[in-house]
Amino acid sequence: MMNLTLKVWRQKNHKDKGGFVDYKVSGISTDMSFLEMLDVLNEELSAKGEDPVHFDHDCREGICGACSLYINGHPHGPQQTTTCQLHMRSFADGDVITIEPWRAKGFPVLKDLMTDRSAFDRIIQAGGYVSVNTGGVPDANEIPVPKIIADEAFDSATCISCGACVAACKNASAMLFVSAKISQLALLPQGQVERKSRAENMVAQMDAEGFGACTNIGACSAECPKGIKLSNIARMNREYFSAVLSSDNV
Amino acid sequence: MILDSKIPEGPLAEKWNKHKFNVKLVNPANKRKYEVIVVGTGLAGASAAASLAELGYNVKAFCFQDSPRRAHSIAAQGGINAAKNYQNDGDSVYRLFYDTVKGGDYRAREANVYRLAEVSVNIIDQCVAQGVPFAREYGGLLANRSFGGAQVSRTFYARGQTGQQLLLGAYSALSRQVANGKVKLYPRTEMMDLVTVEGKARGIITRNLITGTIESHSAHAVLLCTGGYGNVFFLSTNAMGSNVTAAWRAHKKGALFANPCFTQIHPTCIPVSGDHQSKLTLMSESLRNDGRVWVPRTVEIAEKVRKKQIKIADIKEEDRDYFLERKYPSFGNLVPRDVASRNAKYVCDEGRGVNETGEAVFLDFRDAIKRDSEDAIRSRYGNLFDMYQQITGDNPYKEPMMIYPAVHYTMGGLWVDYNLMTNVPGLYALGEANFSDHGANRLGASALMQGLADGYFVIPYTLGDYLAGMSKETVTADHDEFKKAAKEITDKIQKFLSIKGTKTIDHFHKRLGKIMWEYCGMARNAEGLTKAKGLIKELKAEFWRDVKVLGTPDELNMSLEKAHRVADFIELGELMVDDALNRDESCGGHFREEYQTPEGEALRDDDNFAYVAAWKYTGEGLESELVKEELKFENVKLTQRSYK
Ligand SMILES: Cc1cc2nc3c(=O)[nH]c(=O)nc-3n(C[C@H](O)[C@H](O)[C@H](O)COP(=O)(O)OP(=O)(O)OC[C@H]3O[C@@H](n4cnc5c(N)ncnc54)[C@H](O)[C@@H]3O)c2cc1C
Ligand code: SF4
Ligand code: FES
């Protein structure tokens, strides 16, 4: 059982300035997840009639991408996993833990530790799809895909849209997220038809949302809970430059 | 009240094709004059919203998460069934149909299930065309695995993340329609009520979860794709936000709720570790392809395991009881979920459980690793093994996993006819939110199939049939019915905030969960259920007297969000208990201890209970009214389900 001090970012709403508030929690077991530890805090706060700490979370299985806490200077904390999959055995009795929201221009804070990440949805809307309607598609096995290619596309497709890459980057760049989707579809035969316009439109939207430039530091990939590789960014750059050289967007 | 399931005439295999030909069509120019509300953006909602928008309808899509891509479907792990017969192992539409009806212990509609099996093949084609990266063989074609309740390999998968990849496919189609201006998205928006005008569903009342604003949205039809209600048990494998509110409020507005007590307890979940636990984690059923389920043969050895006085590796082969393989030689570890769960409970009840709480059995990969290598196992289940290690701190490549059953899925839901329309005209229910296809037990990898079948391939046809028959006239959101419904919600919110009691919302939710698990869980009996009924009544009264809901209505307010959800769960709990009490038989996941075969299997009573129990809400504090839809079996013979 551990006793901990939490320095938690509290901010009433988008307009509020916000600041850190210290809380003490005790009786935390090493089996708890980080979010369960916050549940304990919130139950205590609620019982006292104080506003619980708001944070995004849903699946608590590391797959929905909702949880998004910046813990002791790292997105999702000390391990390369999601906040919900971080367990208290990664901490020690007496630790002081600082908990902040993602900080990036593209992700304004809504309340406490919750941010607005709808910019990512708009980037996908700009081209993160294959334009096929329901029905009238060929039999699935008429589009063979070499296993190595399928596996590589899969690796890129596992991005959970959490935004840790942006939070980790000193430029708040969204390149890793955007490149993961562009890579997945650039690798697969289904993605070929719209390859150029996709790269151009998604990159344009990314810039419009106010995300910063990539200066190849690699913090994004190092902190990505799904291990999305930097090679995706290299591929995206190739896709983008070859697209603008022979643009379909005229 | 008489329920008309609207099952088309004719031979089973021709019903759907004939129906598609017979339904009325809305001409392309008119489609843009109709507005459709889709609540929920999981597999069912996202696929429906995208497909309807492609056809030309104007769609408004709602979800409570910050992005449609985070719907609970994202967490599905193991796979999706389809009768492709790519493996040449004897699969067919008929076999998938048969397995599903049998797996559901003969409590589903034949016609619906057959259609599901029929369109299953189109789903895989659709997903592949979208760029969903399914697992493939070295030759570049799609790979398959087996799931419980089937003797063929018909499950398509994307490592242990099938739901994620399928949902991202549907989300991409949805996003494309948002870009086209045909879908307007309302994330972080919760449906609070259904609005009916002259008996027809004409819109919804919502709460903007960021600003707290109560809003009215009108439409020509409303589709509820709001998922299941497993969180009534507090602990389940569902996402934290999954709730029954949308379906429940529609129920209170007249929609019948069918088979509420049919819940699925999944056999392979990480056991409960303590009171702090907020949710349970599923370990995909696909693991039972290679993992062997066992407990020590005797209570004495189990005792030593629990006290860590013996190394698991040192337990001799003859002291290991592979109880599923022993009792069910032909299906072995791949028996359906209800059977696997119940047997795990039996051996733990006997005192042969293997963790500190005595409520866990082993799922062991030792033999598979020996046979196929650690790398082979890693490539099949890598992310699941990692997740297990992350949560428990144990390495499943070295030690067997420990697992125990947990609430996972709800077969019950809003009653719908063959067209997926509830008994309220213009109100539809798709995906896990409806009751339709899984009977009393769902087979693995069939929920994803059903959600996408409903959204991509059923609703685009059946919705047109309804809309074509109704006037294009719009009811606007300033209609009196909207004002009335909005006021009711505002009042309800005021009510919550004015109680200012002493106990937190989670306190009530946990207590409800304990009652449901104890008396309406894996095994039920009349005495326990009657007791539960009283307990829930008391809990409800106490909730409305003593709950503490914090904050104000006009802000992001987690406490208020939960209050709505838990209030509805409590009422649902009452109905589930009524339903379980009414059904004096055992079938699938509904196991009434009074009704079992000498071998401890579920004993159905087809003469008296081959019906869908649909419940009608009759008013605050009044008993619900039971409406029966008789199930007719014209193609399969009802037999005692056997997996021996
Ligand atoms: C851990 C896990 C693993 C699973 N694995 C498999 C598997 O391998 N194979 C398989 O076939 N099935 C699996 N299932 C079951 C399957 O995932 C679900 O049944 C299915 O995804 C449900 O999809 P849905 O579209 O009906 O609902 P959901 O995906 O639950 O979506 C519900 C939607 O409704 C919205 N919503 C709900 N209420 C409201 C409201 N009041 N207002 C606004 N929006 C609302 C939510 O925001 C969400 O968008 C699994 C389930 C779990 C829990
Ligand atoms: S690339 Fe990684 S860090 Fe960035 S959003 Fe995707 S999963 Fe999160
Ligand atoms: S809560 Fe879903 S990834 Fe953490």
Side-chain angles (χ1 to χ4, degrees), chain A residues 61, chain B residues 39-45 62-65 68 71-80 147 189-192 225-228 237-238 242-243 245-246 282 284 337 408-409 430-433 442 444-449:
Chain A
E61 289 193 5
Chain B
V39 189
T41 58
L43 287 178
F62 297 81
C63 65
F64 62 74
Q65 290 90 350
H72 165 59
S73 294
I74 200 91
Q77 301 173 348
I80 177 166
F147 255 58
T189 306
E190 186 143 335
M191 167 177 161
M192 296 274 93
C225 313
T226 48
T237 62
N238 289 8
S242 298
N243 70 87
T245 290
L282 174 77
S284 168
R337 294 176 175 173
H408 178 59
Y409 181 88
L430 281 66
E432 192 173 340
R442 173 175 72 78
S446 288
L448 302 184
M449 169 172 75

Short mmCIF file of all heavy atoms in Angstrom, two decimals, chain A residues 61, chain B residues 39-45 62-65 68 71-80 147 189-192 225-228 237-238 242-243 245-246 282 284 337 408-409 430-433 442 444-449, ligand 1:
data_model
loop_
_atom_site.label_atom_id
_atom_site.label_comp_id
_atom_site.label_asym_id
_atom_site.label_seq_id
_atom_site.Cartn_x
_atom_site.Cartn_y
_atom_site.Cartn_z
N GLU A 61 -8.74 -0.31 -21.71
CA GLU A 61 -8.02 -1.48 -22.22
C GLU A 61 -6.92 -1.08 -23.19
O GLU A 61 -6.42 -1.90 -23.94
CB GLU A 61 -8.99 -2.44 -22.92
CG GLU A 61 -9.91 -3.14 -21.96
CD GLU A 61 -10.66 -4.31 -22.56
OE1 GLU A 61 -10.40 -4.67 -23.73
OE2 GLU A 61 -11.50 -4.87 -21.84
N VAL B 39 -28.16 7.53 -33.36
CA VAL B 39 -27.52 7.69 -32.05
C VAL B 39 -26.56 6.54 -31.86
O VAL B 39 -26.97 5.37 -31.85
CB VAL B 39 -28.55 7.72 -30.91
CG1 VAL B 39 -27.87 8.11 -29.60
CG2 VAL B 39 -29.69 8.67 -31.21
N GLY B 40 -25.29 6.86 -31.72
CA GLY B 40 -24.27 5.83 -31.58
C GLY B 40 -23.42 5.73 -32.84
O GLY B 40 -23.94 5.77 -33.95
N THR B 41 -22.12 5.61 -32.63
CA THR B 41 -21.19 5.54 -33.77
C THR B 41 -20.28 4.33 -33.65
O THR B 41 -19.15 4.34 -34.11
CB THR B 41 -20.32 6.80 -33.83
OG1 THR B 41 -19.63 6.90 -32.57
CG2 THR B 41 -21.16 8.04 -34.05
N GLY B 42 -20.77 3.28 -32.97
CA GLY B 42 -20.03 2.03 -32.96
C GLY B 42 -20.19 1.36 -34.31
O GLY B 42 -20.58 1.99 -35.30
N LEU B 43 -19.94 0.07 -34.36
CA LEU B 43 -20.03 -0.61 -35.66
C LEU B 43 -21.41 -0.43 -36.27
O LEU B 43 -21.54 -0.15 -37.46
CB LEU B 43 -19.73 -2.09 -35.49
CG LEU B 43 -18.26 -2.39 -35.24
CD1 LEU B 43 -18.06 -3.88 -35.05
CD2 LEU B 43 -17.41 -1.89 -36.38
N ALA B 44 -22.45 -0.58 -35.47
CA ALA B 44 -23.80 -0.48 -36.02
C ALA B 44 -24.09 0.95 -36.47
O ALA B 44 -24.53 1.17 -37.60
CB ALA B 44 -24.82 -0.93 -34.97
N GLY B 45 -23.84 1.91 -35.60
CA GLY B 45 -24.18 3.29 -35.90
C GLY B 45 -23.33 3.88 -37.02
O GLY B 45 -23.85 4.54 -37.93
N PHE B 62 -24.75 10.95 -33.43
CA PHE B 62 -24.45 11.36 -32.05
C PHE B 62 -23.62 10.31 -31.33
O PHE B 62 -23.83 9.11 -31.52
CB PHE B 62 -25.75 11.53 -31.26
CG PHE B 62 -26.65 12.61 -31.81
CD1 PHE B 62 -27.48 12.37 -32.91
CD2 PHE B 62 -26.66 13.88 -31.24
CE1 PHE B 62 -28.29 13.37 -33.42
CE2 PHE B 62 -27.47 14.88 -31.75
CZ PHE B 62 -28.29 14.63 -32.84
N CYS B 63 -22.71 10.77 -30.48
CA CYS B 63 -22.07 9.84 -29.55
C CYS B 63 -21.62 10.61 -28.32
O CYS B 63 -21.47 11.83 -28.38
CB CYS B 63 -20.88 9.12 -30.20
SG CYS B 63 -19.52 10.19 -30.65
N PHE B 64 -21.43 9.90 -27.22
CA PHE B 64 -21.04 10.62 -26.01
C PHE B 64 -19.52 10.76 -25.89
O PHE B 64 -19.03 11.56 -25.13
CB PHE B 64 -21.66 10.02 -24.74
CG PHE B 64 -21.26 8.61 -24.45
CD1 PHE B 64 -19.99 8.32 -23.97
CD2 PHE B 64 -22.15 7.56 -24.64
CE1 PHE B 64 -19.62 7.01 -23.69
CE2 PHE B 64 -21.78 6.26 -24.37
CZ PHE B 64 -20.50 5.97 -23.90
N GLN B 65 -18.78 9.93 -26.64
CA GLN B 65 -17.32 10.07 -26.61
C GLN B 65 -16.92 11.33 -27.38
O GLN B 65 -17.73 11.90 -28.10
CB GLN B 65 -16.63 8.86 -27.25
CG GLN B 65 -16.74 7.57 -26.47
CD GLN B 65 -17.95 6.74 -26.83
OE1 GLN B 65 -18.83 7.19 -27.55
NE2 GLN B 65 -18.01 5.52 -26.31
N PRO B 68 -16.23 9.77 -32.75
CA PRO B 68 -16.98 8.56 -33.09
C PRO B 68 -16.11 7.32 -33.07
O PRO B 68 -16.60 6.21 -32.83
CB PRO B 68 -17.51 8.84 -34.50
CG PRO B 68 -16.90 10.11 -34.97
CD PRO B 68 -16.33 10.82 -33.78
N ALA B 71 -16.05 4.68 -29.92
CA ALA B 71 -17.18 3.87 -29.47
C ALA B 71 -16.66 2.52 -28.96
O ALA B 71 -15.60 2.04 -29.38
CB ALA B 71 -18.16 3.66 -30.60
N HIS B 72 -17.44 1.93 -28.09
CA HIS B 72 -17.01 0.71 -27.42
C HIS B 72 -16.61 -0.43 -28.39
O HIS B 72 -15.76 -1.25 -28.06
CB HIS B 72 -18.13 0.26 -26.49
CG HIS B 72 -18.02 -1.13 -26.01
ND1 HIS B 72 -16.93 -1.56 -25.30
CD2 HIS B 72 -18.83 -2.19 -26.14
CE1 HIS B 72 -17.09 -2.85 -25.02
NE2 HIS B 72 -18.21 -3.24 -25.52
N SER B 73 -17.18 -0.45 -29.58
CA SER B 73 -16.80 -1.48 -30.57
C SER B 73 -15.29 -1.54 -30.79
O SER B 73 -14.75 -2.58 -31.19
CB SER B 73 -17.44 -1.17 -31.93
OG SER B 73 -18.82 -1.28 -31.89
N ILE B 74 -14.63 -0.43 -30.55
CA ILE B 74 -13.17 -0.36 -30.78
C ILE B 74 -12.45 -1.45 -29.98
O ILE B 74 -11.37 -1.89 -30.35
CB ILE B 74 -12.64 1.04 -30.40
CG1 ILE B 74 -11.29 1.33 -31.05
CG2 ILE B 74 -12.50 1.24 -28.89
CD1 ILE B 74 -11.36 1.99 -32.36
N ALA B 75 -13.05 -1.88 -28.88
CA ALA B 75 -12.35 -2.80 -27.97
C ALA B 75 -12.51 -4.27 -28.33
O ALA B 75 -11.88 -5.12 -27.72
CB ALA B 75 -12.85 -2.58 -26.54
N ALA B 76 -13.34 -4.58 -29.31
CA ALA B 76 -13.54 -6.00 -29.65
C ALA B 76 -12.23 -6.57 -30.13
O ALA B 76 -11.47 -5.94 -30.85
CB ALA B 76 -14.62 -6.14 -30.71
N GLN B 77 -11.95 -7.78 -29.70
CA GLN B 77 -10.61 -8.31 -29.91
C GLN B 77 -10.54 -9.38 -30.99
O GLN B 77 -9.85 -9.26 -31.99
CB GLN B 77 -10.10 -8.91 -28.59
CG GLN B 77 -10.04 -7.90 -27.46
CD GLN B 77 -9.68 -8.54 -26.12
OE1 GLN B 77 -9.67 -9.77 -25.98
NE2 GLN B 77 -9.36 -7.72 -25.13
N GLY B 78 -11.33 -10.43 -30.76
CA GLY B 78 -11.03 -11.70 -31.42
C GLY B 78 -11.35 -11.83 -32.88
O GLY B 78 -10.57 -12.40 -33.66
N GLY B 79 -12.50 -11.34 -33.34
CA GLY B 79 -12.78 -11.54 -34.74
C GLY B 79 -14.23 -11.40 -35.13
O GLY B 79 -15.09 -11.09 -34.30
N ILE B 80 -14.47 -11.61 -36.41
CA ILE B 80 -15.80 -11.49 -36.99
C ILE B 80 -16.08 -12.69 -37.87
O ILE B 80 -15.25 -13.10 -38.69
CB ILE B 80 -15.92 -10.16 -37.78
CG1 ILE B 80 -17.29 -10.04 -38.45
CG2 ILE B 80 -14.81 -10.01 -38.82
CD1 ILE B 80 -17.61 -8.65 -38.97
N PHE B 147 -13.70 -20.13 -33.52
CA PHE B 147 -14.26 -19.58 -32.30
C PHE B 147 -15.19 -20.60 -31.69
O PHE B 147 -15.56 -21.59 -32.33
CB PHE B 147 -15.03 -18.27 -32.62
CG PHE B 147 -14.28 -17.04 -32.20
CD1 PHE B 147 -13.01 -16.78 -32.68
CD2 PHE B 147 -14.85 -16.14 -31.31
CE1 PHE B 147 -12.32 -15.64 -32.29
CE2 PHE B 147 -14.17 -15.00 -30.92
CZ PHE B 147 -12.90 -14.75 -31.40
N THR B 189 -22.13 14.35 -26.99
CA THR B 189 -23.53 14.73 -26.89
C THR B 189 -24.31 13.48 -26.49
O THR B 189 -24.17 12.44 -27.11
CB THR B 189 -24.04 15.23 -28.25
OG1 THR B 189 -23.19 16.27 -28.71
CG2 THR B 189 -25.47 15.75 -28.14
N GLU B 190 -25.08 13.58 -25.44
CA GLU B 190 -25.78 12.41 -24.94
C GLU B 190 -27.27 12.53 -25.17
O GLU B 190 -27.88 13.54 -24.82
CB GLU B 190 -25.48 12.23 -23.44
CG GLU B 190 -26.06 10.95 -22.88
CD GLU B 190 -25.15 10.30 -21.84
OE1 GLU B 190 -23.93 10.53 -21.88
OE2 GLU B 190 -25.67 9.55 -21.01
N MET B 191 -27.85 11.48 -25.76
CA MET B 191 -29.30 11.46 -25.93
C MET B 191 -29.94 11.28 -24.56
O MET B 191 -29.61 10.37 -23.81
CB MET B 191 -29.70 10.31 -26.83
CG MET B 191 -31.18 10.04 -26.81
SD MET B 191 -31.64 8.73 -27.94
CE MET B 191 -33.23 8.27 -27.27
N MET B 192 -30.89 12.15 -24.25
CA MET B 192 -31.55 12.11 -22.95
C MET B 192 -32.98 11.60 -23.08
O MET B 192 -33.56 11.11 -22.12
CB MET B 192 -31.59 13.52 -22.35
CG MET B 192 -30.24 14.12 -22.04
SD MET B 192 -29.68 13.63 -20.41
CE MET B 192 -28.73 12.20 -20.74
N CYS B 225 -28.36 3.04 -31.92
CA CYS B 225 -27.26 2.09 -32.11
C CYS B 225 -26.35 2.28 -30.91
O CYS B 225 -25.17 2.58 -31.04
CB CYS B 225 -26.51 2.40 -33.40
SG CYS B 225 -27.60 2.68 -34.80
N THR B 226 -26.95 2.15 -29.73
CA THR B 226 -26.31 2.64 -28.52
C THR B 226 -25.66 1.56 -27.67
O THR B 226 -25.29 1.82 -26.53
CB THR B 226 -27.34 3.42 -27.68
OG1 THR B 226 -28.54 2.64 -27.59
CG2 THR B 226 -27.70 4.73 -28.36
N GLY B 227 -25.53 0.36 -28.23
CA GLY B 227 -24.76 -0.67 -27.56
C GLY B 227 -25.50 -1.38 -26.44
O GLY B 227 -26.71 -1.23 -26.27
N GLY B 228 -24.74 -2.15 -25.65
CA GLY B 228 -25.34 -3.03 -24.65
C GLY B 228 -25.34 -2.42 -23.25
O GLY B 228 -24.84 -1.33 -23.04
N THR B 237 -16.85 -6.22 -18.91
CA THR B 237 -15.78 -5.94 -19.86
C THR B 237 -16.11 -4.74 -20.73
O THR B 237 -15.33 -4.36 -21.60
CB THR B 237 -15.54 -7.15 -20.78
OG1 THR B 237 -16.76 -7.38 -21.52
CG2 THR B 237 -15.18 -8.39 -20.01
N ASN B 238 -17.30 -4.17 -20.54
CA ASN B 238 -17.68 -3.02 -21.35
C ASN B 238 -16.86 -1.79 -20.99
O ASN B 238 -16.34 -1.68 -19.88
CB ASN B 238 -19.16 -2.69 -21.13
CG ASN B 238 -20.08 -3.72 -21.73
OD1 ASN B 238 -19.63 -4.77 -22.20
ND2 ASN B 238 -21.35 -3.45 -21.73
N SER B 242 -20.30 2.82 -21.35
CA SER B 242 -21.42 2.08 -21.94
C SER B 242 -22.60 2.11 -20.98
O SER B 242 -22.44 1.91 -19.78
CB SER B 242 -21.01 0.62 -22.20
OG SER B 242 -19.94 0.57 -23.12
N ASN B 243 -23.77 2.38 -21.51
CA ASN B 243 -24.92 2.55 -20.63
C ASN B 243 -26.22 2.27 -21.36
O ASN B 243 -26.24 2.09 -22.58
CB ASN B 243 -24.93 3.97 -20.06
CG ASN B 243 -25.25 5.00 -21.11
OD1 ASN B 243 -26.41 5.29 -21.37
ND2 ASN B 243 -24.22 5.53 -21.77
N THR B 245 -29.05 4.23 -21.07
CA THR B 245 -29.96 5.37 -21.01
C THR B 245 -30.77 5.60 -22.28
O THR B 245 -32.00 5.78 -22.21
CB THR B 245 -29.16 6.63 -20.59
OG1 THR B 245 -28.81 6.44 -19.21
CG2 THR B 245 -29.98 7.90 -20.71
N ALA B 246 -30.14 5.59 -23.43
CA ALA B 246 -30.90 5.86 -24.66
C ALA B 246 -32.01 4.82 -24.83
O ALA B 246 -33.18 5.16 -25.05
CB ALA B 246 -29.96 5.86 -25.86
N LEU B 282 -11.25 -8.43 -20.75
CA LEU B 282 -11.46 -9.66 -21.49
C LEU B 282 -10.14 -10.17 -22.04
O LEU B 282 -9.31 -9.38 -22.48
CB LEU B 282 -12.41 -9.35 -22.66
CG LEU B 282 -12.63 -10.50 -23.63
CD1 LEU B 282 -13.58 -11.49 -23.01
CD2 LEU B 282 -13.20 -9.97 -24.93
N SER B 284 -9.42 -12.45 -25.11
CA SER B 284 -10.25 -12.93 -26.22
C SER B 284 -10.46 -14.45 -26.22
O SER B 284 -9.56 -15.23 -25.93
CB SER B 284 -9.60 -12.55 -27.54
OG SER B 284 -10.23 -13.23 -28.58
N ARG B 337 -19.73 -20.02 -24.92
CA ARG B 337 -19.36 -19.26 -23.72
C ARG B 337 -20.14 -19.63 -22.48
O ARG B 337 -19.58 -19.72 -21.39
CB ARG B 337 -19.56 -17.79 -24.01
CG ARG B 337 -18.61 -17.33 -25.05
CD ARG B 337 -18.83 -15.91 -25.43
NE ARG B 337 -17.75 -15.56 -26.35
CZ ARG B 337 -17.67 -14.43 -27.00
NH1 ARG B 337 -18.62 -13.53 -26.87
NH2 ARG B 337 -16.66 -14.19 -27.80
N HIS B 408 -20.23 -9.63 -20.10
CA HIS B 408 -19.56 -9.23 -21.32
C HIS B 408 -20.50 -8.64 -22.37
O HIS B 408 -20.15 -7.70 -23.07
CB HIS B 408 -18.88 -10.48 -21.89
CG HIS B 408 -18.18 -10.24 -23.17
ND1 HIS B 408 -17.18 -9.31 -23.30
CD2 HIS B 408 -18.34 -10.79 -24.41
CE1 HIS B 408 -16.74 -9.32 -24.56
NE2 HIS B 408 -17.44 -10.20 -25.24
N TYR B 409 -21.67 -9.19 -22.48
CA TYR B 409 -22.53 -8.82 -23.61
C TYR B 409 -23.97 -9.03 -23.21
O TYR B 409 -24.28 -9.88 -22.37
CB TYR B 409 -22.20 -9.73 -24.80
CG TYR B 409 -22.99 -9.43 -26.05
CD1 TYR B 409 -22.55 -8.49 -26.97
CD2 TYR B 409 -24.20 -10.09 -26.31
CE1 TYR B 409 -23.28 -8.22 -28.11
CE2 TYR B 409 -24.93 -9.81 -27.44
CZ TYR B 409 -24.47 -8.88 -28.35
OH TYR B 409 -25.19 -8.60 -29.48
N LEU B 430 -30.38 -0.99 -33.67
CA LEU B 430 -29.38 -1.78 -34.40
C LEU B 430 -28.26 -2.20 -33.46
O LEU B 430 -27.99 -1.52 -32.46
CB LEU B 430 -28.76 -0.93 -35.52
CG LEU B 430 -29.53 -0.71 -36.84
CD1 LEU B 430 -30.79 0.10 -36.62
CD2 LEU B 430 -28.64 0.00 -37.84
N GLY B 431 -27.57 -3.26 -33.83
CA GLY B 431 -26.39 -3.69 -33.07
C GLY B 431 -26.79 -4.28 -31.73
O GLY B 431 -27.88 -4.83 -31.56
N GLU B 432 -25.89 -4.13 -30.77
CA GLU B 432 -26.13 -4.76 -29.47
C GLU B 432 -27.37 -4.18 -28.78
O GLU B 432 -27.96 -4.81 -27.90
CB GLU B 432 -24.88 -4.59 -28.58
CG GLU B 432 -24.92 -5.47 -27.33
CD GLU B 432 -23.61 -5.44 -26.52
OE1 GLU B 432 -22.56 -5.06 -27.07
OE2 GLU B 432 -23.67 -5.82 -25.34
N ALA B 433 -27.78 -2.99 -29.18
CA ALA B 433 -28.95 -2.36 -28.55
C ALA B 433 -30.25 -3.10 -28.83
O ALA B 433 -31.22 -2.94 -28.10
CB ALA B 433 -29.07 -0.91 -29.02
N ARG B 442 -24.86 -15.61 -27.21
CA ARG B 442 -24.25 -15.20 -28.47
C ARG B 442 -22.96 -15.97 -28.69
O ARG B 442 -22.17 -16.15 -27.77
CB ARG B 442 -23.95 -13.71 -28.45
CG ARG B 442 -23.17 -13.25 -29.66
CD ARG B 442 -22.98 -11.76 -29.69
NE ARG B 442 -22.04 -11.27 -28.71
CZ ARG B 442 -20.71 -11.34 -28.82
NH1 ARG B 442 -20.17 -11.90 -29.87
NH2 ARG B 442 -19.93 -10.86 -27.88
N GLY B 444 -19.17 -16.38 -30.14
CA GLY B 444 -18.05 -15.46 -30.33
C GLY B 444 -17.97 -14.99 -31.76
O GLY B 444 -18.31 -15.73 -32.69
N ALA B 445 -17.54 -13.74 -31.94
CA ALA B 445 -17.32 -13.16 -33.27
C ALA B 445 -18.61 -12.91 -34.04
O ALA B 445 -18.59 -12.68 -35.25
CB ALA B 445 -16.36 -14.02 -34.09
N SER B 446 -19.73 -12.97 -33.35
CA SER B 446 -21.00 -12.73 -34.03
C SER B 446 -21.59 -11.35 -33.76
O SER B 446 -22.53 -10.94 -34.44
CB SER B 446 -22.03 -13.79 -33.62
OG SER B 446 -21.69 -15.01 -34.22
N ALA B 447 -21.08 -10.65 -32.76
CA ALA B 447 -21.63 -9.31 -32.48
C ALA B 447 -21.13 -8.31 -33.51
O ALA B 447 -21.90 -7.47 -34.00
CB ALA B 447 -21.22 -8.85 -31.09
N LEU B 448 -19.87 -8.44 -33.87
CA LEU B 448 -19.32 -7.54 -34.88
C LEU B 448 -20.06 -7.78 -36.19
O LEU B 448 -20.43 -6.84 -36.90
CB LEU B 448 -17.82 -7.79 -35.04
CG LEU B 448 -16.98 -7.62 -33.77
CD1 LEU B 448 -15.50 -7.81 -34.08
CD2 LEU B 448 -17.21 -6.26 -33.14
N MET B 449 -20.27 -9.04 -36.47
CA MET B 449 -21.00 -9.41 -37.69
C MET B 449 -22.39 -8.79 -37.67
O MET B 449 -22.85 -8.20 -38.64
CB MET B 449 -21.07 -10.93 -37.76
CG MET B 449 -22.02 -11.48 -38.80
SD MET B 449 -21.87 -13.27 -38.97
CE MET B 449 -22.69 -13.89 -37.50
C1 LIG C 1 -13.83 -6.40 -24.60
C2 LIG C 1 -14.80 -6.83 -25.65
C3 LIG C 1 -14.39 -7.62 -26.70
C4 LIG C 1 -15.29 -8.04 -27.68
N1 LIG C 1 -14.83 -8.82 -28.69
C5 LIG C 1 -15.70 -9.20 -29.66
C6 LIG C 1 -15.26 -9.99 -30.75
O1 LIG C 1 -14.09 -10.37 -30.85
N2 LIG C 1 -16.15 -10.34 -31.69
C7 LIG C 1 -17.44 -9.93 -31.64
O2 LIG C 1 -18.19 -10.26 -32.54
N3 LIG C 1 -17.88 -9.18 -30.62
C8 LIG C 1 -17.05 -8.80 -29.64
N4 LIG C 1 -17.51 -8.03 -28.59
C9 LIG C 1 -18.87 -7.51 -28.63
C10 LIG C 1 -18.94 -6.32 -29.55
O3 LIG C 1 -17.77 -5.56 -29.45
C11 LIG C 1 -20.11 -5.38 -29.26
O4 LIG C 1 -21.27 -6.11 -29.08
C12 LIG C 1 -20.32 -4.45 -30.42
O5 LIG C 1 -19.13 -3.80 -30.75
C13 LIG C 1 -21.41 -3.44 -30.13
O6 LIG C 1 -21.46 -2.51 -31.19
P1 LIG C 1 -22.60 -1.44 -31.27
O7 LIG C 1 -22.34 -0.66 -32.51
O8 LIG C 1 -23.91 -2.08 -31.14
O9 LIG C 1 -22.42 -0.52 -29.98
P2 LIG C 1 -21.16 0.24 -29.35
O10 LIG C 1 -19.91 0.01 -30.08
O11 LIG C 1 -21.20 -0.06 -27.90
O12 LIG C 1 -21.49 1.76 -29.57
C14 LIG C 1 -22.45 2.44 -28.84
C15 LIG C 1 -22.48 3.85 -29.34
O13 LIG C 1 -23.62 4.50 -28.81
C16 LIG C 1 -23.27 5.73 -28.26
N5 LIG C 1 -24.24 6.01 -27.19
C17 LIG C 1 -24.70 5.17 -26.23
N6 LIG C 1 -25.61 5.79 -25.48
C18 LIG C 1 -25.73 7.03 -25.97
C19 LIG C 1 -26.53 8.16 -25.62
N7 LIG C 1 -27.40 8.12 -24.62
N8 LIG C 1 -26.37 9.28 -26.35
C20 LIG C 1 -25.51 9.36 -27.38
N9 LIG C 1 -24.75 8.31 -27.75
C21 LIG C 1 -24.86 7.18 -27.05
C22 LIG C 1 -21.84 5.59 -27.82
O14 LIG C 1 -21.23 6.84 -27.77
C23 LIG C 1 -21.29 4.71 -28.95
O15 LIG C 1 -20.93 5.53 -30.04
C24 LIG C 1 -16.62 -7.64 -27.59
C25 LIG C 1 -17.04 -6.84 -26.54
C26 LIG C 1 -16.15 -6.48 -25.55
C27 LIG C 1 -16.66 -5.72 -24.36
#
